[in-house]
Amino acid sequence: AMATQQAKYLGGNNIQLYHQGLENQSKDYMEIEGELRKAMQNNELEVFYQPKVNVHSQCIESAEALVRWQHPKKGVISPAEFIHIAEDSGLIAEIGEFVLLESCLQAKQWADNGTAEITVSVNVSAHQLRHENLAQAVGNVLKTTKLPENQLELELTESSLMENLSAATALLKRLSDLGVSISLDDFGTGYSSLSHLKRFPVDGLKIDRSFIKDITSKPEDEAIVNAIIVLGHSLNLKVIAEGVESKEQLALLDQLGCDEIQGYFIAKPLSSQDMTTMLLQQKSG
Ligand code: C2E
Ligand code: MG
Ligand code: MG
Ligand code: MG
C-alpha cells in the first residue's frame, strides 16, 4: 500500500510539472508556443486527410485527420514538431477541438453532397484524456455537426491509456456508449499489458509503422505483425497497418489477413480539396 501511495504521490501531475519546468526554459520551445497561439487565431492550422483502404475491396473506408501548420514564413510545419509542445502547454485542448469539429463537418459534407460516406479518424492525445471532458466534447460535436456517430473514430495510443487505467477504462466506456469507434494507434510500441485489451472497449488495432517498414525483408517483423493480426482477430478487432509504402508490403499484409491499410502507397495526407478529388475519382470508378 505504501508503494502505491508513493507512486501516486510522485506520479501524474508532479512529474508532469517538473518536465514542463525544464522544457519551458528552452527558448525555441517558448518561441514555438507563442507562435502556435497566434497561429490558431490566424487560422494557420489546417486539417489534412489520409485515406485508409480496405485491403480486399481497395475502397477508401475512412480517412485519418492529420493537422498541418501553414506557417507564414517557415512553410508547413509537421505535427511531430509542435504537438508535444501543444501538449505540454495545454494548447492541445484547443487544437484537438478544432480538428475534431473540422473533420466531423468535413465528413458530414462529403456524405451530404454525395461525395462519399466515410469515417473520419481523429487522434486524441494523452493530455486530452487527462484534462478534457472528452466524451462530452465528442457528444457535442456529433450533435452540432449531425454526423452519424458510426462515422467517427478516435485514435488513442496504448501508452496514454495506461497512464491512468481506471479513468481510461471509464472514458472508453462513455465513448463507446456514444457509438464512436476506438482504435489503438501505434500499436506494439507502447507498453501495454495484453490482458487490458479484452477489458478496453476498443474496435481496432493500428499496427505501428516501425513494424511495417521492413516487413518484407525481416522475418521477425513479419512474425510480429502476423501475431498482432491473429491477436486482433481473435478479439474481434479490426486490424489496420500504417506506413504502407509498397505493393510488396500490401501483398504480404493481404496474405497475413490485415483488414485495412494506410500509407504513401495509397496516398500521402491530402488537403480536403485533394481528398475530395480522390473520393470522387473512386466514385466514378
Ligand atoms: P500518427 O497518428 O501515428 O499518424 C501517422 C503519421 O505517419 C502521420 O504523420 C502520417 O503522415 C505518417 N505517414 C502515413 N503514411 C506514411 C508512410 O507510408 N510513410 C511514412 N514515412 N509516414 C507515413 P504526421 O501527419 O506528421 O503526424 C505525426 C503524428 O502527430 C501523428 O502520428 C499523431 O500522433 C500526431 N498528430 C497529427 N495530427 C494530430 C492531431 O490532430 N491531434 C493529435 N493529438 N495528434 C496529432
Ligand atoms: Mg493516428
Ligand atoms: Mg499511428
Ligand atoms: Mg505511428
Side-chain angles (χ1 to χ4, degrees):
M2 181 69 185
T4 334
Q5 284 279 312
Q6 222 163 30
K8 253 191 203 152
Y9 179 68
L10 291 173
N13 292 332
N14 291 317
I15 302 267
Q16 176 70 21
L17 288 173
Y18 180 62
H19 276 303
Q20 275 181 18
L22 285 182
E23 279 201 76
N24 279 341
Q25 287 166 7
S26 130
K27 188 166 159 277
D28 269 8
Y29 179 101
M30 298 267 284
E31 207 175 280
I32 298 182
E33 185 186 331
E35 287 189 63
L36 197 48
R37 280 183 203 281
K38 270 188 261 157
M40 289 192 294
Q41 284 152 18
N42 300 342
N43 298 320
E44 288 164 24
L45 297 187
E46 187 179 345
V47 181
F48 272 48
Y49 299 89
Q50 190 179 30
K52 300 185 193 178
V53 307
N54 181 293
V55 171
H56 297 289
S57 67
Q58 308 247 341
C59 281
I60 300 171
E61 293 184 323
S62 58
E64 178 173 9
L66 293 159
V67 70
R68 295 289 179 266
W69 179 1
Q70 308 279 355
H71 192 284
K73 292 196 198 93
K74 296 177 189 163
V76 180
I77 304 181
S78 132
E81 285 177 57
F82 68 86
I83 286 288
H84 67 287
I85 296 177
E87 283 232 353
D88 289 345
S89 60
L91 284 171
I92 192 70
E94 238 177 289
I95 296 177
E97 265 173 47
F98 162 75
V99 174
L100 181 65
L101 178 62
E102 185 68 22
S103 48
C104 287
L105 282 171
Q106 181 62 76
K108 178 69 175 146
Q109 196 192 345
W110 280 326
D112 285 353
N113 68 18
T115 303
E117 260 177 47
I118 62 165
T119 298
V120 277
S121 311
V122 176
N123 291 287
V124 174
S125 74
H127 184 281
Q128 289 173 283
L129 295 186
R130 283 193 297 266
H131 296 275
E132 255 189 285
N133 194 344
L134 190 67
Q136 196 179 325
V138 168
N140 287 341
V141 165
L142 289 173
K143 209 181 269 172
T144 37
T145 61
K146 299 193 175 69
L147 181 72
E149 56 279 359
N150 62 3
Q151 276 181 258
L152 176 62
E153 176 182 65
L154 301 176
E155 294 191 5
L156 286 75
T157 63
E158 311 160 73
S159 1
S160 71
L161 292 175
M162 298 304 286
E163 259 185 28
N164 184 344
L165 209 52
S166 56
T169 311
L171 175 65
L172 289 187
K173 171 84 172 55
R174 286 191 66 194
L175 290 169
S176 80
D177 285 348
L178 283 174
V180 304
S181 320
I182 316 274
S183 162
L184 293 185
D185 204 354
D186 301 340
F187 190 78
T189 58
Y191 107 94
S192 79
S193 154
L194 291 179
S195 71
H196 293 119
L197 267 186
K198 64 173 188 201
R199 290 201 301 156
F200 287 151
V202 296
D203 308 277
L205 301 180
K206 195 167 186 188
I207 308 172
D208 191 66
R209 183 168 81 229
S210 59
F211 300 110
I212 308 301
K213 201 170 152 279
D214 300 316
I215 192 177
T216 57
S217 59
K218 292 200 178 137
E220 314 88 81
D221 286 338
E222 181 184 335
I224 291 170
V225 169
N226 183 48
I228 296 176
I229 293 171
V230 171
L231 170 75
H233 286 170
S234 64
L235 294 169
N236 278 318
L237 305 176
K238 188 174 76 178
V239 183
I240 166 159
E242 69 174 16
V244 177
E245 296 186 356
S246 73
K247 175 161 103 243
E248 292 74 23
Q249 290 170 330
L250 168 58
L252 181 50
L253 287 161
D254 185 9
Q255 194 191 314
L256 296 176
C258 192
D259 304 299
E260 271 189 6
I261 58 155
Q262 176 183 18
Y264 295 170
F265 180 65
I266 305 296
K268 290 200 167 180
L270 304 168
S271 68
S272 62
Q273 201 183 345
D274 289 343
M275 184 70 201
T276 305
T277 305
M278 190 168 177
L279 288 169
L280 288 172
Q281 269 164 4
Q282 163 167 301
K283 190 181 165 196
S284 64

mmCIF file of all heavy atoms in Angstrom, residues 174-200:
data_model
loop_
_atom_site.group_PDB
_atom_site.id
_atom_site.type_symbol
_atom_site.label_atom_id
_atom_site.label_comp_id
_atom_site.label_asym_id
_atom_site.label_seq_id
_atom_site.Cartn_x
_atom_site.Cartn_y
_atom_site.Cartn_z
ATOM 1 N N ARG A 174 -17.608 5.410 -21.890
ATOM 2 C CA ARG A 174 -18.503 6.514 -22.251
ATOM 3 C C ARG A 174 -18.461 6.795 -23.751
ATOM 4 O O ARG A 174 -19.484 7.073 -24.372
ATOM 5 C CB ARG A 174 -18.111 7.798 -21.490
ATOM 6 C CG ARG A 174 -18.491 7.779 -20.016
ATOM 7 C CD ARG A 174 -18.321 9.159 -19.410
ATOM 8 N NE ARG A 174 -19.256 10.134 -19.969
ATOM 9 C CZ ARG A 174 -19.147 11.453 -19.805
ATOM 10 N NH1 ARG A 174 -18.139 11.950 -19.105
ATOM 11 N NH2 ARG A 174 -20.029 12.271 -20.331
ATOM 12 N N LEU A 175 -17.249 6.733 -24.313
ATOM 13 C CA LEU A 175 -17.117 6.992 -25.751
ATOM 14 C C LEU A 175 -17.803 5.902 -26.559
ATOM 15 O O LEU A 175 -18.488 6.189 -27.546
ATOM 16 C CB LEU A 175 -15.638 7.097 -26.141
ATOM 17 C CG LEU A 175 -14.909 8.343 -25.642
ATOM 18 C CD1 LEU A 175 -13.408 8.205 -25.853
ATOM 19 C CD2 LEU A 175 -15.431 9.603 -26.352
ATOM 20 N N SER A 176 -17.639 4.666 -26.151
ATOM 21 C CA SER A 176 -18.261 3.609 -26.947
ATOM 22 C C SER A 176 -19.773 3.615 -26.751
ATOM 23 O O SER A 176 -20.516 3.243 -27.659
ATOM 24 C CB SER A 176 -17.610 2.244 -26.691
ATOM 25 O OG SER A 176 -18.087 1.680 -25.527
ATOM 26 N N ASP A 177 -20.241 4.092 -25.595
ATOM 27 C CA ASP A 177 -21.687 4.281 -25.421
ATOM 28 C C ASP A 177 -22.241 5.324 -26.397
ATOM 29 O O ASP A 177 -23.400 5.264 -26.798
ATOM 30 C CB ASP A 177 -22.021 4.710 -23.983
ATOM 31 C CG ASP A 177 -21.911 3.537 -22.998
ATOM 32 O OD1 ASP A 177 -21.812 2.378 -23.471
ATOM 33 O OD2 ASP A 177 -21.904 3.782 -21.783
ATOM 34 N N LEU A 178 -21.393 6.294 -26.753
ATOM 35 C CA LEU A 178 -21.820 7.308 -27.729
ATOM 36 C C LEU A 178 -21.922 6.714 -29.133
ATOM 37 O O LEU A 178 -22.520 7.311 -30.024
ATOM 38 C CB LEU A 178 -20.812 8.460 -27.776
ATOM 39 C CG LEU A 178 -20.821 9.502 -26.663
ATOM 40 C CD1 LEU A 178 -19.644 10.460 -26.847
ATOM 41 C CD2 LEU A 178 -22.128 10.292 -26.685
ATOM 42 N N GLY A 179 -21.273 5.571 -29.330
ATOM 43 C CA GLY A 179 -21.335 4.914 -30.632
ATOM 44 C C GLY A 179 -20.169 5.202 -31.553
ATOM 45 O O GLY A 179 -20.174 4.791 -32.713
ATOM 46 N N VAL A 180 -19.153 5.907 -31.052
ATOM 47 C CA VAL A 180 -17.978 6.151 -31.895
ATOM 48 C C VAL A 180 -17.019 4.958 -31.750
ATOM 49 O O VAL A 180 -17.067 4.240 -30.758
ATOM 50 C CB VAL A 180 -17.257 7.476 -31.536
ATOM 51 C CG1 VAL A 180 -18.199 8.643 -31.623
ATOM 52 C CG2 VAL A 180 -16.630 7.413 -30.150
ATOM 53 N N SER A 181 -16.196 4.739 -32.774
ATOM 54 C CA SER A 181 -15.229 3.636 -32.685
ATOM 55 C C SER A 181 -13.928 4.116 -32.066
ATOM 56 O O SER A 181 -13.570 5.290 -32.178
ATOM 57 C CB SER A 181 -14.895 3.065 -34.060
ATOM 58 O OG SER A 181 -16.022 2.980 -34.854
ATOM 59 N N ILE A 182 -13.227 3.192 -31.466
ATOM 60 C CA ILE A 182 -11.948 3.494 -30.841
ATOM 61 C C ILE A 182 -10.893 2.567 -31.422
ATOM 62 O O ILE A 182 -11.119 1.355 -31.538
ATOM 63 C CB ILE A 182 -11.971 3.195 -29.317
ATOM 64 C CG1 ILE A 182 -13.241 3.706 -28.662
ATOM 65 C CG2 ILE A 182 -10.690 3.676 -28.643
ATOM 66 C CD1 ILE A 182 -13.219 5.110 -28.239
ATOM 67 N N SER A 183 -9.766 3.154 -31.764
ATOM 68 C CA SER A 183 -8.708 2.323 -32.306
ATOM 69 C C SER A 183 -7.409 2.630 -31.567
ATOM 70 O O SER A 183 -7.175 3.769 -31.155
ATOM 71 C CB SER A 183 -8.669 2.617 -33.800
ATOM 72 O OG SER A 183 -7.502 2.216 -34.365
ATOM 73 N N LEU A 184 -6.599 1.610 -31.334
ATOM 74 C CA LEU A 184 -5.334 1.829 -30.619
ATOM 75 C C LEU A 184 -4.232 2.118 -31.629
ATOM 76 O O LEU A 184 -3.857 1.259 -32.434
ATOM 77 C CB LEU A 184 -4.974 0.612 -29.757
ATOM 78 C CG LEU A 184 -5.903 0.334 -28.572
ATOM 79 C CD1 LEU A 184 -5.364 -0.823 -27.724
ATOM 80 C CD2 LEU A 184 -6.064 1.583 -27.696
ATOM 81 N N ASP A 185 -3.721 3.347 -31.585
ATOM 82 C CA ASP A 185 -2.730 3.840 -32.538
ATOM 83 C C ASP A 185 -1.325 3.386 -32.135
ATOM 84 O O ASP A 185 -1.074 3.120 -30.967
ATOM 85 C CB ASP A 185 -2.789 5.380 -32.521
ATOM 86 C CG ASP A 185 -2.274 6.000 -33.806
ATOM 87 O OD1 ASP A 185 -1.767 5.274 -34.674
ATOM 88 O OD2 ASP A 185 -2.387 7.239 -33.928
ATOM 89 N N ASP A 186 -0.428 3.317 -33.120
ATOM 90 C CA ASP A 186 0.972 2.960 -32.863
ATOM 91 C C ASP A 186 1.060 1.656 -32.075
ATOM 92 O O ASP A 186 1.940 1.497 -31.222
ATOM 93 C CB ASP A 186 1.689 4.087 -32.091
ATOM 94 C CG ASP A 186 1.657 5.410 -32.840
ATOM 95 O OD1 ASP A 186 1.446 5.383 -34.067
ATOM 96 O OD2 ASP A 186 1.842 6.453 -32.207
ATOM 97 N N PHE A 187 0.164 0.738 -32.361
ATOM 98 C CA PHE A 187 0.085 -0.480 -31.563
ATOM 99 C C PHE A 187 1.377 -1.295 -31.667
ATOM 100 O O PHE A 187 1.925 -1.489 -32.744
ATOM 101 C CB PHE A 187 -1.108 -1.352 -31.978
ATOM 102 C CG PHE A 187 -1.355 -2.476 -31.018
ATOM 103 C CD1 PHE A 187 -1.986 -2.241 -29.805
ATOM 104 C CD2 PHE A 187 -0.892 -3.759 -31.296
ATOM 105 C CE1 PHE A 187 -2.180 -3.269 -28.891
ATOM 106 C CE2 PHE A 187 -1.085 -4.787 -30.386
ATOM 107 C CZ PHE A 187 -1.724 -4.539 -29.174
ATOM 108 N N GLY A 188 1.829 -1.743 -30.507
ATOM 109 C CA GLY A 188 3.053 -2.543 -30.458
ATOM 110 C C GLY A 188 4.243 -1.767 -29.928
ATOM 111 O O GLY A 188 5.237 -2.349 -29.519
ATOM 112 N N THR A 189 4.148 -0.445 -29.908
ATOM 113 C CA THR A 189 5.289 0.366 -29.462
ATOM 114 C C THR A 189 5.169 0.753 -27.991
ATOM 115 O O THR A 189 6.165 0.968 -27.329
ATOM 116 C CB THR A 189 5.427 1.675 -30.264
ATOM 117 O OG1 THR A 189 4.219 2.421 -30.129
ATOM 118 C CG2 THR A 189 5.677 1.398 -31.721
ATOM 119 N N GLY A 190 3.965 0.886 -27.503
ATOM 120 C CA GLY A 190 3.791 1.318 -26.123
ATOM 121 C C GLY A 190 3.921 0.142 -25.189
ATOM 122 O O GLY A 190 4.056 -1.003 -25.632
ATOM 123 N N TYR A 191 3.909 0.438 -23.933
ATOM 124 C CA TYR A 191 3.882 -0.695 -23.019
ATOM 125 C C TYR A 191 2.429 -0.898 -22.677
ATOM 126 O O TYR A 191 1.729 -0.014 -22.249
ATOM 127 C CB TYR A 191 4.753 -0.430 -21.789
ATOM 128 C CG TYR A 191 4.027 -0.157 -20.500
ATOM 129 C CD1 TYR A 191 3.764 -1.193 -19.593
ATOM 130 C CD2 TYR A 191 3.600 1.127 -20.174
ATOM 131 C CE1 TYR A 191 3.112 -0.938 -18.412
ATOM 132 C CE2 TYR A 191 2.941 1.386 -18.983
ATOM 133 C CZ TYR A 191 2.693 0.340 -18.110
ATOM 134 O OH TYR A 191 2.044 0.584 -16.948
ATOM 135 N N SER A 192 1.926 -2.068 -23.001
ATOM 136 C CA SER A 192 0.562 -2.328 -22.577
ATOM 137 C C SER A 192 0.444 -3.791 -22.269
ATOM 138 O O SER A 192 1.061 -4.639 -22.899
ATOM 139 C CB SER A 192 -0.441 -1.919 -23.638
ATOM 140 O OG SER A 192 -0.498 -2.888 -24.641
ATOM 141 N N SER A 193 -0.317 -4.070 -21.285
ATOM 142 C CA SER A 193 -0.500 -5.459 -20.934
ATOM 143 C C SER A 193 -1.614 -5.985 -21.820
ATOM 144 O O SER A 193 -2.659 -5.366 -21.971
ATOM 145 C CB SER A 193 -0.867 -5.542 -19.467
ATOM 146 O OG SER A 193 -1.606 -6.710 -19.261
ATOM 147 N N LEU A 194 -1.352 -7.107 -22.447
ATOM 148 C CA LEU A 194 -2.337 -7.668 -23.372
ATOM 149 C C LEU A 194 -3.654 -7.955 -22.666
ATOM 150 O O LEU A 194 -4.709 -7.918 -23.275
ATOM 151 C CB LEU A 194 -1.799 -8.945 -24.015
ATOM 152 C CG LEU A 194 -0.636 -8.729 -24.985
ATOM 153 C CD1 LEU A 194 -0.179 -10.064 -25.532
ATOM 154 C CD2 LEU A 194 -1.039 -7.805 -26.123
ATOM 155 N N SER A 195 -3.575 -8.198 -21.362
ATOM 156 C CA SER A 195 -4.800 -8.531 -20.644
ATOM 157 C C SER A 195 -5.766 -7.353 -20.616
ATOM 158 O O SER A 195 -6.961 -7.530 -20.453
ATOM 159 C CB SER A 195 -4.481 -8.981 -19.223
ATOM 160 O OG SER A 195 -4.054 -7.870 -18.473
ATOM 161 N N HIS A 196 -5.237 -6.114 -20.803
ATOM 162 C CA HIS A 196 -6.137 -4.971 -20.799
ATOM 163 C C HIS A 196 -6.956 -4.861 -22.074
ATOM 164 O O HIS A 196 -8.018 -4.273 -22.094
ATOM 165 C CB HIS A 196 -5.361 -3.672 -20.586
ATOM 166 C CG HIS A 196 -4.760 -3.601 -19.227
ATOM 167 N ND1 HIS A 196 -3.408 -3.497 -19.019
ATOM 168 C CD2 HIS A 196 -5.331 -3.653 -18.011
ATOM 169 C CE1 HIS A 196 -3.180 -3.491 -17.723
ATOM 170 N NE2 HIS A 196 -4.314 -3.583 -17.092
ATOM 171 N N LEU A 197 -6.405 -5.463 -23.116
ATOM 172 C CA LEU A 197 -7.086 -5.381 -24.416
ATOM 173 C C LEU A 197 -8.518 -5.883 -24.345
ATOM 174 O O LEU A 197 -9.411 -5.312 -24.951
ATOM 175 C CB LEU A 197 -6.331 -6.226 -25.440
ATOM 176 C CG LEU A 197 -5.285 -5.527 -26.272
ATOM 177 C CD1 LEU A 197 -4.773 -6.487 -27.318
ATOM 178 C CD2 LEU A 197 -5.879 -4.285 -26.932
ATOM 179 N N LYS A 198 -8.709 -6.956 -23.620
ATOM 180 C CA LYS A 198 -10.059 -7.515 -23.595
ATOM 181 C C LYS A 198 -10.988 -6.681 -22.704
ATOM 182 O O LYS A 198 -12.194 -6.777 -22.806
ATOM 183 C CB LYS A 198 -10.030 -8.980 -23.148
ATOM 184 C CG LYS A 198 -9.543 -9.176 -21.753
ATOM 185 C CD LYS A 198 -9.697 -10.612 -21.288
ATOM 186 C CE LYS A 198 -9.366 -10.662 -19.801
ATOM 187 N NZ LYS A 198 -8.995 -11.941 -19.290
ATOM 188 N N ARG A 199 -10.392 -5.857 -21.831
ATOM 189 C CA ARG A 199 -11.227 -5.030 -20.956
ATOM 190 C C ARG A 199 -11.574 -3.683 -21.576
ATOM 191 O O ARG A 199 -12.593 -3.087 -21.279
ATOM 192 C CB ARG A 199 -10.524 -4.800 -19.618
ATOM 193 C CG ARG A 199 -10.444 -6.049 -18.760
ATOM 194 C CD ARG A 199 -10.235 -5.687 -17.327
ATOM 195 N NE ARG A 199 -9.009 -4.905 -17.166
ATOM 196 C CZ ARG A 199 -8.796 -4.078 -16.162
ATOM 197 N NH1 ARG A 199 -9.703 -3.902 -15.245
ATOM 198 N NH2 ARG A 199 -7.656 -3.430 -16.077
ATOM 199 N N PHE A 200 -10.668 -3.181 -22.417
ATOM 200 C CA PHE A 200 -10.952 -1.904 -23.090
ATOM 201 C C PHE A 200 -12.015 -2.127 -24.168
ATOM 202 O O PHE A 200 -11.874 -3.058 -24.965
ATOM 203 C CB PHE A 200 -9.695 -1.374 -23.791
ATOM 204 C CG PHE A 200 -8.644 -0.832 -22.881
ATOM 205 C CD1 PHE A 200 -7.309 -0.883 -23.271
ATOM 206 C CD2 PHE A 200 -8.954 -0.230 -21.680
ATOM 207 C CE1 PHE A 200 -6.312 -0.366 -22.448
ATOM 208 C CE2 PHE A 200 -7.963 0.295 -20.862
ATOM 209 C CZ PHE A 200 -6.636 0.221 -21.245
#
